Amino acid sequence: MSGPIGQSDTTPRRLVVLISGRGSNLGALIEACEQGRIPARVVGVISNRPDAGGLALAEQHGIPRRVLNHRDYPSREAFDADLATAIEDYAPDLVILAGFMRILTPGFVDRFTGRMLNIHPSLLPKYRGLDTHARALADGETEHGASVHFVTPELDGGPVIMQARVPVAPDDTPDTLATRVQRAEHRLYPEVVRRVCSGEIQWCGRILQGDGRPLEAPLQLDEDTHERSGPDDRSPPPRTAG
């Protein structure tokens, strides 16, 4: 991988995005890069599923893409070894999981520690794992949302950088709640990636820092950026992967 994230030169950071589905967050990141809102460019997209819709999106934007079908591998370790090699072929500064529906081995995670981000559809540490929207509704939550964190071997357990909060309506279903959370994700992920690429956010010596100061709690998207919540023009259907 190339030089440290946020180094002082003006070279755009190199991003590799891993997907398993239709790539809605990939689309938000590509758009933010192309509009200059992130000092970076997506240099490669890798999927573990040949039918992932996000591969077509990458092709539309002229981004190199590659498929490593996990079903072709005898073990999780064998898949992760080839995945790591494929990632490093692109010499990225940052590896971004965007609906990548694989549990990664500790050896793989260690290889990219401090340079790999994930977005999860809950207000971590609540609701790690799957079916987060249904679980939040079953528990009677009045607030839900999404979190972006650095990846560690613990599932959805890495340091949380920033969250976007979404109110839960009395008549919400898992699908309606998922749609609103995903709209928030499309604002949240580019903002976090921007901050990591610019060096505003760093994970140094196991201490998460924002602007050179330890972050004692996750940043909150709308409070911290003064953005107004509103509909996303893409208005996508609920996310299952990607």
Side-chain angles (χ1 to χ4, degrees):
M1 301 176 78
S2 54
I5 296 293
Q7 64 189 39
S8 58
D9 68 53
T10 58
T11 304
R13 304 299 94 188
R14 297 172 61 85
L15 312 180
V16 167
V17 183
L18 309 187
I19 64 170
S20 295
R22 56 194 181 81
S24 68
N25 275 305
L26 169 65
L29 290 166
I30 292 173
E31 180 180 282
C33 289
E34 291 180 345
Q35 293 178 353
R37 291 186 282 123
I38 300 176
R41 62 190 181 96
V42 179
V43 297
V45 172
I46 303 174
S47 176
N48 66 309
R49 295 183 180 274
D51 59 349
L55 293 168
L57 179 62
E59 182 178 16
Q60 292 168 13
H61 288 266
I63 299 170
R65 59 210 180 280
R66 184 168 177 181
V67 174
L68 295 178
N69 191 336
H70 64 277
R71 298 183 183 276
D72 295 338
Y73 289 83
S75 68
R76 195 173 294 276
E77 290 76 12
F79 172 80
D80 281 4
D82 273 6
L83 177 60
T85 298
I87 290 171
E88 288 179 338
D89 284 345
Y90 293 109
D93 295 290
L94 196 62
V95 179
I96 298 174
L97 310 185
F100 188 64
M101 306 302 287
R102 295 282 299 173
I103 295 176
L104 298 166
T105 57
F108 178 91
V109 173
D110 288 345
R111 193 164 178 172
F112 298 103
T113 295
R115 296 178 183 267
M116 185 158 56
L117 301 177
N118 183 47
I119 190 164
H120 182 72
S122 80
L123 297 175
L124 292 171
K126 290 184 175 182
Y127 308 116
R128 298 179 184 181
L130 301 175
D131 301 321
T132 62
H133 311 303
R135 290 159 62 195
L137 291 173
D139 286 348
E141 297 281 4
T142 59
E143 191 175 51
H144 192 43
S147 306
V148 177
H149 63 93
F150 281 105
V151 178
T152 65
E154 182 183 4
L155 179 64
D156 301 325
V160 179
I161 302 167
M162 182 179 280
Q163 296 175 323
R165 296 176 179 270
V166 173
V168 178
D171 60 348
D172 260 330
T173 66
D175 284 352
T176 60
L177 183 55
T179 297
R180 292 207 313 285
V181 169
Q182 190 177 67
R183 291 173 184 169
E185 289 180 8
H186 293 163
R187 296 183 294 116
L188 175 66
Y189 220 173
E191 176 62 19
V192 174
V193 172
R194 180 191 72 77
R195 294 183 184 218
V196 173
C197 287
S198 68
E200 294 175 42
I201 297 293
Q202 295 184 340
W203 188 25
C204 305
R206 301 295 178 179
I207 298 175
L208 184 62
Q209 296 184 340
D211 291 325
R213 298 184 298 273
L215 289 181
E216 298 181 359
L219 299 170
Q220 301 301 312
L221 177 64
D222 292 325
E223 294 175 9
D224 197 67
T225 62
H226 307 290
E227 293 181 12
R228 294 179 59 86
S229 300
D232 186 291
D233 292 339
R234 285 178 288 273
S235 297
R239 174 166 76 95
T240 55

